C-alpha cells in the first residue's frame, strides 16, 4: 500500500530487475498497475526471494518482454504457477529455480520463449513436465534438474526446435525412468 504512490509515478518502465527482490510483497498483481515501455521489458529477479508470494497463477508476461531470468528465483512459499502466459521473447532461465514448494505448473503457455535452462531446477515438488516446449526454444539445459519427475516421454516433450540443447535436462530427478 505504501508502494502505490511510487508505482503510480513510474512512467514507461522498461527494467524491473530486482524491483521487489527480497521484499514482503505478497502478490504479482502489482505489475498490472505499472505503465510499461513499448518493448524490451526486463523482469530479471523481479520477485526473487519474496517470502510472501504464494502463487503466480494467471500471470501474463507480455511478448514485449525480452527477459524474465529468475523472476521468482528462490521464492520459498511459491506453490503454484498455473495458467501463466509466459510470452517472453527471450530468456526465462531460472524463472522458478529453487522454489522448493512449487508443485503446480499446469497449463503454462510459453510461446516465443528461447531459453528455459534451469527453469525448474531444484524444485523438488515438481513431478510432471509441461506439455511441450515451444519451437522457438534453443536452450533447455537442466530445465528439470533435481525435481521429482519420475517419468519422461521424450516424444511428447522434446519435439520443439531441432536446434534446442538439452544438456542435463532431467539430471538428478528422483526415480527417473525414460520411455
Amino acid at each position: 500500500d505504501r508502494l502505490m504512490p511510487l508505482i503510480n509515478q513510474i512512467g514507461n518502465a522498461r527494467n524491473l530487475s530486482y524491483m521487489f527482490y527480497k521484499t514482503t510483497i505478497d502478490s504479482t498483481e502489482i505489475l498490472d498497475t505499472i505503465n510499461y515501455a513499448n518493448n524490451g521489458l526486463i523482469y530479471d529477479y523481479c520477485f526473487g526471494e519474496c517470502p510472501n508470494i504464494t502463487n503466480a497463477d494467471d500471470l501474463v508476461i507480455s511478448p514485449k518482454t525480452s527477459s524474465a531470468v529468475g523472476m521468482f528465483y528462490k521464492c520459498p512459499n511459491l506453490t503454484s504457477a498455473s495458467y501463466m502466459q509466459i510470452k517472453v521473447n527471450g530468456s526465462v532461465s531460472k524463472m522458478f529455480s529453487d522454489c522448493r514448494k512449487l508443485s503446480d505448473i499446469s497449463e503454462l503457455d510459453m510461446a516465443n520463449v528461447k531459453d528455459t535452462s534451469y527453469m525448474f531446477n531444484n524444485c523438488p515438488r515438481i513431478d510432471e513436465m509441461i506439455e511441450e516446449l515451444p519451437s522457438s526454444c534453443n536452450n533447455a539445459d537442466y530445465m528439470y534438474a533435481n525435481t521429482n519427475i519420475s517419468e519422461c516421454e521424450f516424444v511428447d516433450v522434446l519435439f520443439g526446435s531441432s536446434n534446442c540443447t538439452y544438456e542435463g535436462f532431467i539430471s538428478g530427478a528422483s526415480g527417473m525412468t525414460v520411455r
Side-chain angles (χ1 to χ4, degrees):
D1 296 323
R2 293 183 300 178
L3 282 175
M4 289 317 294
L6 292 171
I7 297 295
N8 290 332
Q9 292 180 27
I10 296 173
N12 294 322
R14 180 168 302 205
N15 189 343
L16 276 67
S17 294
Y18 294 93
M19 187 166 198
F20 305 109
Y21 188 77
K22 289 188 175 184
T23 65
T24 56
I25 196 159
D26 62 0
S27 173
T28 61
E29 291 177 10
I30 196 161
L31 296 179
D32 297 334
T33 65
I34 298 173
N35 296 317
Y36 294 102
N38 287 334
N39 55 34
L41 303 176
I42 301 170
Y43 291 106
D44 294 355
Y45 299 93
C46 183
F47 294 107
E49 297 191 53
C50 288
N52 296 332
I53 298 282
T54 59
N55 80 71
D57 297 341
D58 302 307
L59 180 64
V60 176
I61 303 173
S62 163
K64 297 177 188 177
T65 305
S66 61
S67 182
V69 171
M71 187 173 184
F72 295 98
Y73 174 75
K74 278 191 174 180
C75 284
N77 295 305
L78 182 69
T79 60
S80 179
S82 63
Y83 298 95
M84 279 183 71
Q85 293 181 40
I86 306 170
K87 299 186 183 267
V88 175
N89 193 6
S91 180
V92 294
S93 178
K94 300 179 186 174
M95 181 178 243
F96 299 105
S97 186
D98 291 284
C99 291
R100 305 199 55 84
K101 292 183 180 177
L102 180 63
S103 61
D104 185 0
I105 56 169
S106 57
E107 304 298 324
L108 292 186
D109 176 359
M110 298 200 316
N112 304 323
V113 171
K114 292 176 176 47
D115 181 356
T116 60
S117 62
Y118 297 90
M119 188 173 185
F120 301 108
N121 181 44
N122 288 325
C123 294
R125 295 190 183 178
I126 297 290
D127 59 6
E128 290 185 20
M129 294 182 180
I130 58 172
E131 290 292 317
E132 66 183 87
L133 292 174
S135 61
S136 57
C137 187
N138 59 27
N139 184 355
D141 295 350
Y142 298 94
M143 183 175 178
Y144 290 102
N146 304 306
T147 60
N148 197 28
I149 304 263
S150 60
E151 192 171 282
C152 175
E153 292 190 33
F154 279 100
V155 174
D156 291 341
V157 176
L158 306 179
F159 69 97
S161 172
S162 60
N163 297 322
C164 192
T165 62
Y166 299 101
E167 182 178 332
F169 183 71
I170 50 177
S171 170
S174 58
M176 174 54 66
T177 56
V178 178
R179 294 192 283 149

